[in-house]
């Protein structure tokens, strides 16, 4: 494949994941096979870095012992002796001591320090006159490449401390990368793979980070000083723009910013339709700071707190006490508004380094409520922490990825047992805490009557509902042409869930990403959804849309759409209706 020469302006077209425009310089969040990465290690991580080095040595040692065993079986005794030299080098205490000291002193990653060390060692050996010692260079090189290979397998780059406005180019982003990115001011993400409702995409959206995926990184040869423009509205990546392109994009960026600011002033307005139908507009949050935006935009509370984000970048589940402190902070920061804490949704694309599940199909495996029911100690401590936090605010609890009502009942039984224990211990909690369930698996949608009987509220997780209904991995950009929330099957399932919730007199919300997409707003209201829970940043856009709709026309739209036969037809209709409602410049903000 020809590598683009981007001395001149070069344009690449990928898939738009999160809209917005970014201008900055590139940061490569991956490294090629023959490259030794170099990055800084924060003081607090030095111990782990040394441990990573030791583990790589141990792994290499085991490999060599295995090779020796095989050679012995084959009768190749000379070979066994050669590898004995390798083992001696790995065991050399002086080398280990010097290397570990160098990691601590330089505060750099183990591969980089190791690379420097080996080069120096080779240089010293080559200066020796004794032929036997010089021969040792070959062994050192062999051992070094084995250790380096093992080190690189465990390397974990971090987005925690990247330069402001950097445009991060990565092969892929896992949720913990994205969670780390929450702490910094990243300009944009560009990846080879990643779908619109992948968790990295959700985080990017919650932070307003433009994101383009489906870009072949082998096609570009980026240099440190390059200027890059990311247009998250149409998926364009522009490398080394001409002065004319650059100034056009700078102007467009400012224009979009001011459009968004204008929309954000709608805070004091009621969330209601033209004909005064009130809608609850809540937020999906992952970190505490997002509650500030909920208040700024006058959201009605938190419809989904993805609690697993408190541990995705940790190496263990937090204790009951640690969780209690965190949930208490959230409950207090909600300042009287309701907050739905969803129990850990680990597994799937959110493994967390400490959740050791080895499965061929993680999305169909031990995820969320399944993991928690199989690990009752972890589950019980989370339930206790949530219950204890409920005296500090309007806390509700919700279970994710429940496929059958029996799982809901099992989870509720554990909750009630923990309530009884707290009673005995004299610890306060809200005895009437509301319990809800996510409906995000087709089996749960189809048997929704069973769920509605046992819940105080339901929340439709369309991100997973689409994935499981259409059998398309939500993170797989290549299959994304099949991943479509406008598919008639999904719309009909939402209608079924709403009917059962209404029949049982309980509220139902939508908390998947379509709740943030204003093209779906009228349809969802028309289907009878009472509450939309979206990324806090999108509250103004969705509120602005709600205020332009009448509930009567929304019901008519829903009726029309329920009678349509293909997602293409539905998508076209939703876009047309949306464009009639809002001015062009607002459409621009959500153009993907
Ligand atoms: C969903 O599946 O729609 C949802 C909101 O949950 P998550 O995106 O965290 O899986
Ligand atoms: Mg989900």
């Amino acid at each position: 494949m020809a590598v683009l020469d981007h001395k001149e302006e070069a344009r690449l077209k990928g898939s738009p994941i999160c809209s917005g425009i970014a201008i900055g310089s590139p940061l490569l969040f991956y490294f090629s096979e023959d490259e030794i990465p170099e990055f800084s290690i924060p003081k607090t991580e030095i111990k782990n870095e040394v441990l990573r080095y030791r583990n790589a040595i141990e792994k290499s040692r085991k490999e060599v012992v295995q090779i020796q065993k095989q050679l012995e079986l084959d009768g190749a005794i000379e070979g066994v002796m050669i590898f004995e030299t390798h083992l001696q080098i790995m065991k050399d205490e002086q080398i280990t001591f010097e290397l570990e000291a160098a990691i601590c002193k330089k505060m750099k990653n183990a591969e980089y320090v190791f690379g420097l060390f080996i080069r120096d060692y080779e240089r010293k050996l080559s200066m020796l006159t004794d032929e036997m010692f010089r021969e040792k260079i070959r062994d050192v090189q062999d051992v070094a490449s084995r250790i380096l290979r093992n080190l690189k397998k465990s390397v974990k780059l971090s987005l925690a401390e990247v330069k402001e406005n950097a445009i991060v180019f990565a092969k892929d982003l896992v949720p913990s990368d994205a969670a780390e990115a929450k702490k910094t001011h990243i300009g944009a993400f560009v990846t080879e793979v990643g779908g619109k409702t992948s968790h990295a995409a959700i985080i990017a959206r919650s932070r307003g980070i433009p994101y383009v995926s489906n870009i072949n990184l082998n096609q570009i040869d980026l240099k440190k000083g390059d200027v890059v423009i990311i247009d998250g509205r149409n998926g364009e990546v522009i490398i080394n723009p001409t002065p004319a392109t650059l100034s056009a994009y700078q102007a467009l960026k400012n224009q979009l910013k001011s459009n968004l600011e204008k929309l954000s002033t709608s805070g004091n307005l009621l969330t209601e339709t033209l004909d005064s139908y009130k809608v609850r507009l809540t937020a999906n949050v992952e970190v505490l700071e997002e509650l500030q935006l909920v208040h700024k935009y006058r959201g009605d509370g938190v419809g989904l707190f993805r609690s697993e984000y408190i541990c995705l970048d940790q190496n263990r589940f937090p204790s009951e006490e640690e969780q209690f402190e965190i949930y208490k902070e959230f409950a207090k920061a909600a300042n009287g508004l309701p907050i739905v804490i969803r129990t850990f949704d680990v597994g799937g694309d959110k493994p967390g380094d400490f959740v050791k599940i080895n499965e061929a199909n993680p999305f169909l495996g031990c995820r969320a409520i399944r993991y928690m029911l199989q690990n009752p100690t972890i589950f019980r401590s989370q339930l206790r922490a949530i219950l204890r936090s409920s005296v500090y605010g309007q806390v509700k609890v919700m279970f994710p990825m429940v496929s059958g009502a029996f799982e809901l009942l099992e989870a509720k039984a554990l909750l009630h047992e923990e309530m009884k224990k707290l009673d005995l211990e004299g610890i306060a909690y809200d005895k009437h805490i509301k319990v809800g369930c996510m409906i995000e698996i087709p089996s749960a949608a189809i048997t929704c009557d069973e769920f509605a009987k046992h819940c105080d509220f339901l929340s439709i997780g369309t991100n997973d509902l689409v994935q499981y209904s259409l059998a398309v991995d939500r993170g797989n950009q290549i299959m994304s042409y099949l991943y479509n929330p406008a598919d008639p099957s999904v719309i009909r399932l939402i209608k079924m869930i709403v009917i059962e919730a209404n029949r049982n007199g309980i509220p139902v919300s939508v908390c998947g990403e379509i709740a943030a997409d204003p093209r779906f707003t009228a349809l969802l209201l028309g289907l009878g959804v009472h509450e939309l829970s979206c990324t806090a940043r999108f509250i103004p856009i969705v509120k602005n849309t709600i205020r332009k709709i009448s509930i009567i026309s929304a019901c008519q739209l829903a009726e029309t759409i329920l009678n349509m036969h293909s997602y293409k037809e539905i998508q076209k209709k939703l876009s047309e209706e949306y464009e009639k409602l809002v001015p062009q410049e607002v459409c621009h903000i959500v153009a993907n």
Side-chain angles (χ1 to χ4, degrees), residues 342 345 367 438 440 461 463-464 474:
R342 177 177 77 179
D345 182 357
R367 190 188 152 185
M438 289 199 66
E440 49 185 346
N463 303 339
D464 279 313
R474 64 194 261 187

